[in-house]
Amino acid sequence: MSFDEHSADYSQKMERALAGIGLEHGFFFEAKVRQILEARRRLTVSGAAVRLLEIGCGIGLLTQRLRPLFTDVWGIDPSVSSLGQAAPPQGRLIAADGLRTPFSDESFDMVLAVCVLHHVPVDRRAAFLTEAARITRRGGLVLLCEHNPWNPLTRFVVGRCELDRGVVLLTQREAKRRLTDAGLSHIRSRYILFFPWRGAFWRWLEAHLAWLPLGGQYVIDGMRM
């Protein structure tokens, strides 16, 4: 599916899909940023500087949030139209497919694919993650965030979202197997987004429920050794 046709009103379509559960898109970005920052603590690369790539950055909503938090943030997406909608600065956003990135081996400390892999055809997912691992430095992480197909509210939202028509969701078990097959190790996974509320108490409770396969999404990361 091409996202060019959705780039001009991407945010509005996401908000419409989420309206049925009473949440705004920003709520989900906040949860993902927290998970990415927590995963950064696992890095074994030397030095404080962290170079990060988001594969499938779309109109740059997550990339924009990460720029103040990391030393060097890049994004790639095959949709030129989507990249054109991104807020400036756009200098580190590149039109490229995650199956064939324009980067050399071991270019990044962290490589992210956030709610992207379910859009990749099943028979190309192995190649996608092999490429992500190739451009990740030794001691670095490949991190995925995906919809949890076991959660009924997640299926409800995906079912009404124009952007997700025809997608094949993947379970956490499949994601773990695919990261392992891509040569990654020390894999860690957790379920997130159990509750629709902000606040320290709800974050604390979600952290204690991370093992339970009922969260709206899950985060999983693997290390390149």
Side-chain angles (χ1 to χ4, degrees):
M1 173 182 136
S2 171
F3 273 74
D4 285 335
E5 62 186 284
H6 302 291
S7 60
D9 58 351
Y10 170 85
S11 294
Q12 293 90 330
K13 288 177 177 177
M14 285 303 305
E15 295 295 352
R16 285 198 298 269
L18 294 168
I21 59 173
L23 291 172
E24 82 283 2
H25 204 190
F27 177 85
F28 296 89
F29 279 120
E30 292 170 15
K32 292 175 176 65
V33 169
R34 288 196 299 270
Q35 291 295 323
I36 293 165
L37 290 176
E38 198 279 331
R40 180 173 63 178
R41 300 174 186 171
R42 297 187 66 204
L43 292 175
T44 62
V45 293
S46 59
V50 175
R51 194 172 193 232
L52 178 147
L53 170 69
E54 182 189 4
I55 300 177
C57 64
I59 62 174
L61 296 177
L62 180 58
T63 305
Q64 185 178 11
R65 287 170 167 83
L66 293 173
R67 279 205 172 106
L69 305 173
F70 288 83
T71 308
D72 193 13
V73 177
W74 292 69
I76 62 171
D77 199 283
S79 171
V80 175
S81 178
S82 295
L83 295 177
Q85 298 290 325
Q90 300 183 29
R92 298 192 185 279
L93 299 183
I94 299 173
D97 192 315
L99 294 168
R100 296 174 300 277
T101 68
F103 304 108
S104 59
D105 294 356
E106 300 189 48
S107 291
F108 295 94
D109 302 303
M110 293 185 72
V111 175
L112 318 177
V114 176
C115 294
V116 169
L117 197 58
H118 63 272
H119 290 287
V120 178
V122 174
D123 61 351
R124 296 185 180 180
R125 289 176 180 175
F128 182 96
L129 291 175
T130 296
E131 177 67 0
R134 179 187 70 81
I135 60 176
T136 302
R137 292 174 181 159
R138 299 188 185 278
L141 294 175
V142 174
L143 181 146
L144 308 177
C145 180
E146 280 295 328
H147 299 313
N148 177 16
W150 301 115
N151 184 288
L153 279 178
T154 293
R155 285 205 168 270
F156 171 76
V157 172
V158 170
R160 62 181 284 152
C161 183
E162 297 176 58
L163 304 169
D164 286 330
R165 285 177 182 164
V167 301
V168 178
L169 300 183
L170 62 156
T171 64
Q172 188 189 91
R173 177 178 293 183
E174 179 188 345
K176 182 176 182 179
R177 173 176 59 81
R178 291 192 177 276
L179 287 175
T180 301
D181 290 346
L184 300 165
S185 61
H186 297 79
I187 294 171
R188 188 187 62 160
S189 58
R190 56 270 189 206
Y191 290 94
I192 63 171
L193 296 170
F194 288 84
F195 308 106
W197 305 296
R198 293 179 171 90
F201 170 75
W202 300 110
R203 293 185 195 176
W204 174 86
L205 188 56
E206 285 206 347
H208 285 75
L209 294 174
W211 60 273
L212 187 65
L214 293 178
Q217 295 181 345
Y218 62 87
V219 176
I220 183 167
D221 55 69
M223 184 173 292
R224 182 176 180 193
M225 302 301 292

